Amino acid sequence: MASPSRRLQTKPVITCLKSVLLTYTFVFWVSGIVLLAVGVWGRVSLAVYFSLLDEKATNVPFVLVGAGVVVVLLGTFGCFATCRGSTWMLKLYAMLLSLIFLIVLVAAVVGFVFRHEIKTNFESNLNLALKNYNVTADQHSEAVDTIQRTLHCCGVQNYSDWEKTDYFAQRGIPRSCCKNQDDCSVEDLRDPNKAKLKVFVDGCFFLVTSTMESKMSVVAGISFGIACFQLVGIILACCLSQYITNNQYEMV
């Protein structure tokens, strides 16, 4: 058993570690709320974009929601373990943080490795959506219209892609490609030469993928930051648990 003088010396250290770990856990808990909110927002606001990707990609919002719930629960457990000063709870908290740390790293690596596959899949699905485009507002047609209006683009590679579709033979280029809805008649949209002056000429595929690629470094940086942040929590929880064990410190 440690001497009384040593226990008195280490008590401020343990109190300091507890305060720092509680602060960390609170920030960690808030990050879970943010993940949860982003997942819900993505499911509601980005559904049309996910419809042009494969089924696995459409699960991304649900993954974020699930991760947010796990982080909130784990953060709550971490606060409880820190306040109680329970060594086994702190060790379990550190183990769970380590598990999430590994999952974040694996997810980041998988996303980076399969980024080209995602681009290829998006291009093929966008081409298929143009081929089957109609005015009945089905999910894929709505996604095409939304992307063209939002990104100010037209077609896959350029506006002329629409000339190869059945829809063009019937009605010309869709109105979602028009630069100005008030100055874009059906006759203009059926004539490729006139349409060139009325619609966006750049293709959507390049704009979407270039945006994705520009965000890859940001995503990688965020993933690395989250991983490093979790390492801090792991170290703090292990240190606090070790101090409590070695000095037989008990919370009142």
Side-chain angles (χ1 to χ4, degrees):
M1 179 179 294
S3 64
S5 60
R6 183 177 179 183
R7 292 179 61 186
L8 287 174
Q9 290 174 356
T10 55
K11 184 175 180 180
V13 176
I14 294 174
T15 302
C16 180
L17 281 174
K18 281 186 59 180
S19 300
V20 175
L21 185 56
L22 279 173
T23 303
Y24 163 86
T25 304
F26 174 74
V27 176
F28 184 65
W29 185 86
V30 171
S31 69
I33 297 294
V34 173
L35 278 176
L36 186 60
V38 170
V40 173
W41 172 80
R43 180 68 185 90
V44 174
S45 303
L46 304 178
V48 291
Y49 297 94
F50 284 120
S51 67
L52 293 177
L53 294 172
D54 59 19
E55 186 176 352
K56 294 180 181 179
T58 61
N59 293 327
V60 171
F62 297 107
V63 172
L64 290 176
V65 170
V69 172
V70 170
V71 169
V72 168
L73 293 177
L74 183 55
T76 303
F77 176 78
C79 286
F80 182 73
T82 305
C83 291
R84 286 288 303 273
S86 171
T87 56
W88 73 267
M89 284 185 176
L90 288 169
K91 290 177 181 177
L92 179 60
Y93 181 46
M95 289 175 60
L96 293 174
L97 283 176
S98 300
L99 179 61
I100 295 179
F101 168 74
L102 293 175
I103 292 174
V104 169
L105 287 184
V106 170
V109 170
V110 170
F112 181 79
V113 170
F114 289 99
R115 68 190 188 282
H116 295 301
E117 183 178 335
I118 294 174
K119 289 171 59 177
T120 302
N121 178 267
F122 177 78
E123 183 178 18
S124 61
N125 284 344
L126 185 57
N127 275 308
L128 184 62
L130 261 66
K131 180 180 178 181
N132 298 326
Y133 182 88
N134 57 65
V135 292
T136 58
D138 64 276
Q139 187 180 30
H140 290 168
S141 298
E142 181 183 355
V144 170
D145 285 335
T146 301
I147 291 174
Q148 292 184 150
R149 289 195 194 98
T150 304
L151 300 181
H152 295 171
C153 58
C154 189
V156 180
Q157 301 300 332
N158 55 60
Y159 78 101
S160 64
D161 292 329
W162 282 105
E163 298 176 29
K164 309 169 188 176
T165 64
D166 294 335
Y167 181 85
F168 181 82
Q170 300 171 4
R171 304 196 179 189
I173 298 175
R175 293 188 63 83
S176 57
C177 284
C178 293
K179 297 178 182 177
N180 186 348
Q181 295 293 326
D182 297 329
D183 184 25
C184 200
S185 65
V186 176
E187 290 73 18
D188 293 334
L189 294 175
R190 285 181 175 176
D191 186 338
N193 294 323
K194 293 181 179 179
K196 185 177 182 179
L197 303 175
K198 303 288 185 177
V199 303
F200 304 112
V201 295
D202 295 327
C204 295
F205 175 72
F206 174 76
L207 290 175
V208 172
T209 54
S210 62
T211 301
M212 289 172 57
E213 289 177 348
S214 67
K215 301 299 181 182
M216 281 300 295
S217 58
V218 177
V219 172
I222 292 175
S223 298
F224 182 75
I226 291 174
C228 292
F229 186 63
Q230 287 171 312
L231 283 176
V232 173
I234 294 168
I235 294 171
L236 288 173
C238 289
C239 288
L240 180 57
S241 175
Q242 192 64 36
Y243 264 99
I244 293 174
T245 300
N246 291 343
N247 297 278
Q248 297 181 343
Y249 179 78
E250 295 181 358
M251 294 298 300
V252 178

